[in-house]
Amino acid sequence: MHEVRTNELDSSSAPTTPAVHYLNATHGAASWFFTKDHKRIALLYLYSVSTFFLVGGIFAMLVRLELATPRGDLLSAETYNKVFTAHGVVMVFFFLIPAIPAILGNFLVPLMIGAKDLAFPRINLASWYLYMTGGLFGVAVLVMGGVDTGWTFYTPYSTAASNSHVVLTALGAFVAGFSSIFTGLNFIVTIHTMRAPGMTWDRLPLFIWSHYATSLIMMLGTPVVAVTLMMVVLERTLRLGFFNPDLGGDPVLFQHLFWFYSHPAVYIMVLPGMGVISEIVAAFSRKPVFGYKMVAMASLGIALIGFLVWGHHMFTTSQSVLAAVTFSFLSFLVAIPSAIKVFNWTATLYRGSVLLDSPMLYAIGFIGLFTIGGLTGLFLAAIGLDIHVHDTYFVVAHFHYVMVGGTLLAYLGGLHYWWPKITGKLYSEPWAKTSAVIVFVGFNLTFFPQFVLGYMGMPRRYHAYPAEELSWQVLNVLSSAGASILAIGLFLPLIYLTYAAFRGRPAGPNPWGAYGLEWETTSPPPTANFEVTPIVTKPAYYYAPEEH
Ligand code: HEM
Ligand SMILES: [Cu+2]
């Protein structure tokens, strides 16, 4: 399917898997649970994050089943609140935030810069244990009967009224937050100090730039949400008055603190995805990413401006007109670096010799869906329109276009792109293409109707809606049908990727003929990543002219 570059592989012999590599270098459970190898830690995350994704997905299906009919006939209102909260908490804190950085970032950051490991391998392992501890708190909450505040823990409901397990959930998110802070710290120190000779800042792959920017947000933002959640816990348990007016607190203060982290957090979710897309677009257009420097700086720009826009979640609170207009303006501003990326990926495709392999299908899907998510974000940043669609399904559709159409598609694209490197095996390309198409169709059928529903006024977080509104039911049924299709599309990769890991054909070091240090070592890589430390002499994405 791909022309094999003769300088990479001896074309007379089929690709082989090295006899000793990171997967089989040592054996036994202890060699995995106490590993300091970033690649093995990435796999530990892969198993646990995938499990949480499955759990979050089951809750999503329950939400959609309930809404397939107008009456609240499947779940009680109380259970419904717990189900959508569980879906939101699991998806945000245990899937979207760790997925790309903790799995793909962990595996690839050292490989892409020519390092042997991350700067602090023990802290890296500790991060996984923190993530698991936070996850166990979350599982305990589910077993004990759940939590009903929504993943945003809005006060004073969460501190004064809710009878559910707010404290334990908040502690779970708190502990998992430290895993994120440590990962960010590890990436920043690694990128600063462990680059191979010749890997200058202007030769860094864009995946690395995006992880650098993400790490800054992780380190600067996550402590704020950690403190905020602690304040909720203290107010609930000790009745300290931070947020509850009865105790002399201010509920809007909670929203400021929460969104000061949680808006930048959406960039923790999507920036690493943008890094993945840059790698895939370059490899499958056989061209350097157009405007490399602009794309790299756009990551930093997004990280920076992302901290200035939290107030767009609060247009309907008592915000002053001046504050609202400022936040609206800054929200429009943050669209610019995102738009730069979309334009530059598109310009990279232009006149490239574009190959439509499965990772590229995901990347193209990402570009389209993220654009829709981003543009509808501008609708929400326009104050007048936000007043109309605030807390409706329009918002649900918007953030799913960004988080599922964006982050999840980038994650799947990246997983397919680097699967041969991670496992040393090739998966079935026809199956991969089929499921990419199913995901795309199912996704749009699920979430596009929700824009219309929201515009028509259907509020989010309700477990029933008026039966007289026939069009509401039609749109909800379409959305629920789409969710089933999407579920199939998301389940298939689990099967053929796992199958490939055991039974696939050997991939060879560089099955896509891509450029980048990670493709210059064996698949799977040895424990130390490279037999000899690579020396970098060329810019990123140096696709030789004869391949155009
Ligand atoms: C990667 C996949 C997904 C992620 C990250 C995700 C994330 C989220 C988040 C954060 C919320 C907000 C919950 C809240 O505000 O309380 C939410 C709500 C919702 N999600 Fe998902 N979701 C995903 C997939 C799905 C799927 C596949 C479906 C459909 C089957 C779905 C259906 C819903 C619905 C209907 C709500 C609205 C609950 C409400 O009324 O507030 N989600 N999702
Ligand atoms: Cu925001």
Side-chain angles (χ1 to χ4, degrees):
M1 190 165 19
H2 285 285
E3 70 277 56
V4 172
R5 290 194 292 170
T6 41
N7 59 338
E8 297 282 339
L9 283 176
D10 177 7
S11 50
S12 61
S13 64
T16 50
T17 308
V20 181
H21 46 75
Y22 82 100
L23 290 168
N24 66 7
T26 50
H27 292 279
S31 80
W32 283 86
F33 287 118
F34 299 110
T35 183
K36 293 189 276 323
D37 183 339
H38 65 104
K39 300 181 289 305
R40 284 191 169 197
I41 296 173
L43 286 190
L44 293 177
Y45 272 113
L46 175 67
Y47 304 134
S48 31
V49 171
S50 305
T51 309
F52 279 109
F53 183 61
L54 202 68
V55 173
I58 292 171
F59 286 117
M61 289 314 290
L62 283 172
V63 168
R64 258 351 298 176
L65 270 177
E66 169 67 64
L67 295 176
T69 62
R71 306 242 169 274
D73 42 15
L74 178 69
L75 309 169
S76 69
E78 206 188 317
T79 313
Y80 181 79
N81 290 349
K82 292 180 172 173
V83 166
F84 79 69
T85 301
H87 170 63
V89 169
V90 170
M91 287 303 197
V92 168
F93 294 109
F94 298 103
F95 176 74
L96 287 167
I97 290 178
I100 300 182
I103 302 172
L104 298 176
N106 236 327
F107 197 92
L108 291 160
V109 165
L111 280 169
M112 281 187 171
I113 64 172
K116 284 193 167 61
D117 205 320
L118 286 177
F120 307 116
R122 283 190 177 82
I123 292 185
N124 196 20
L125 180 63
S127 305
W128 181 72
Y129 278 102
L130 283 169
Y131 170 80
M132 290 308 284
T133 311
L136 283 182
F137 281 43
V139 172
V141 169
L142 292 179
V143 175
M144 289 159 63
V147 62
D148 67 353
T149 58
W151 75 277
T152 50
F153 302 102
Y154 267 17
T155 60
Y157 180 71
S158 61
T159 59
S162 169
N163 281 326
S164 58
H165 299 279
V166 177
V167 170
L168 204 55
T169 315
L171 286 174
F174 179 85
V175 175
F178 280 90
S179 146
S180 176
I181 295 171
F182 286 169
T183 303
L185 176 82
N186 229 330
F187 285 170
I188 287 184
V189 177
T190 307
I191 295 169
H192 270 277
T193 61
M194 296 178 66
R195 285 169 286 127
M199 180 55 90
T200 51
W201 286 90
D202 56 357
R203 287 176 180 166
L204 284 183
L206 290 165
F207 182 88
I208 300 293
W209 273 111
S210 74
H211 274 73
Y212 188 79
T214 309
S215 304
L216 290 175
I217 308 177
M218 286 170 156
M219 288 186 58
L220 298 175
T222 314
V224 178
V225 80
V227 170
T228 312
L229 292 175
M230 272 314 99
M231 288 164 83
V232 168
V233 169
L234 291 177
E235 178 161 314
R236 234 183 118 81
T237 50
L238 306 178
R239 293 189 52 80
L240 298 185
F242 301 118
F243 308 125
N244 185 349
D246 288 348
L247 304 172
D250 177 4
V252 179
L253 173 64
F254 173 84
Q255 296 193 25
H256 279 293
L257 292 172
F258 182 81
W259 288 112
F260 181 78
Y261 163 77
S262 292
H263 185 83
V266 308
Y267 300 113
I268 296 183
M269 302 169 201
V270 82
L271 270 173
M274 293 173 151
V276 170
I277 299 308
S278 292
E279 299 302 318
I280 295 178
V281 163
F284 293 93
S285 315
R286 293 284 185 270
K287 278 171 69 186
V289 175
F290 178 81
Y292 164 89
K293 274 205 179 123
M294 264 158 93
V295 178
M297 289 308 125
S299 286
L300 294 180
I302 290 173
L304 194 78
I305 310 174
F307 273 110
L308 306 177
V309 303
W310 76 91
H312 64 209
H313 295 271
M314 301 166 65
F315 289 149
T316 58
T317 65
S318 53
Q319 205 172 52
S320 74
V321 173
L322 179 63
V325 171
T326 311
F327 280 125
S328 172
F329 172 75
L330 290 167
S331 303
F332 280 100
L333 211 60
V334 80
I336 295 173
S338 310
I340 287 177
K341 294 205 180 204
V342 171
F343 282 125
N344 286 12
W345 291 321
T346 315
T348 311
L349 295 177
Y350 178 68
R351 296 219 170 153
S353 43
V354 175
L355 303 164
L356 291 179
D357 296 286
S358 52
M360 189 61 157
L361 293 186
Y362 281 110
I364 292 172
F366 172 102
I367 296 174
L369 300 178
F370 176 76
T371 303
I372 296 178
L375 287 176
T376 52
L378 294 181
F379 292 22
L380 293 168
I383 304 168
L385 204 51
D386 183 67
I387 304 288
H388 177 60
V389 295
H390 180 77
D391 263 342
T392 67
Y393 261 82
F394 190 91
V395 175
V396 177
H398 155 71
F399 69 68
H400 282 89
Y401 265 82
V402 176
M403 299 199 287
V404 184
T407 311
L408 178 67
L409 256 61
Y411 169 64
L412 288 174
L415 206 58
H416 283 78
Y417 181 49
W418 285 294
W419 196 249
K421 181 55 61 182
I422 295 172
T423 62
K425 302 289 175 53
L426 296 174
Y427 52 82
S428 155
E429 187 58 20
W431 274 107
K433 281 187 179 156
T434 311
S435 56
V437 172
I438 297 178
V439 166
F440 188 82
V441 172
F443 171 84
N444 282 293
L445 189 57
T446 309
F447 294 109
F448 197 82
Q450 296 182 5
F451 280 124
V452 187
L453 274 170
Y455 189 77
M456 287 164 44
M458 177 161 161
R460 69 194 280 201
R461 299 178 170 173
Y462 279 34
H463 84 308
Y465 46 91
E468 310 82 70
E469 303 279 1
L470 187 62
S471 54
W472 285 24
Q473 181 167 10
V474 172
L475 289 164
N476 271 301
V477 167
L478 286 178
S479 180
S480 299
S484 318
I485 297 175
L486 179 57
I488 296 171
L490 294 177
F491 196 69
L492 283 175
L494 187 69
I495 299 172
Y496 63 74
L497 289 182
T498 311
Y499 179 84
F502 294 99
R503 293 286 167 78
R505 283 181 296 117
N510 189 1
W512 309 113
Y515 184 81
L517 286 185
E518 79 269 32
W519 303 109
E520 289 184 14
T521 187
T522 57
S523 306
T527 304
N529 291 348
F530 300 93
E531 300 300 348
V532 279
T533 306
I535 295 171
V536 182
T537 54
K538 300 193 184 79
Y541 316 114
Y542 188 79
Y543 286 96
E546 66 267 17
E547 288 187 68
H548 284 215

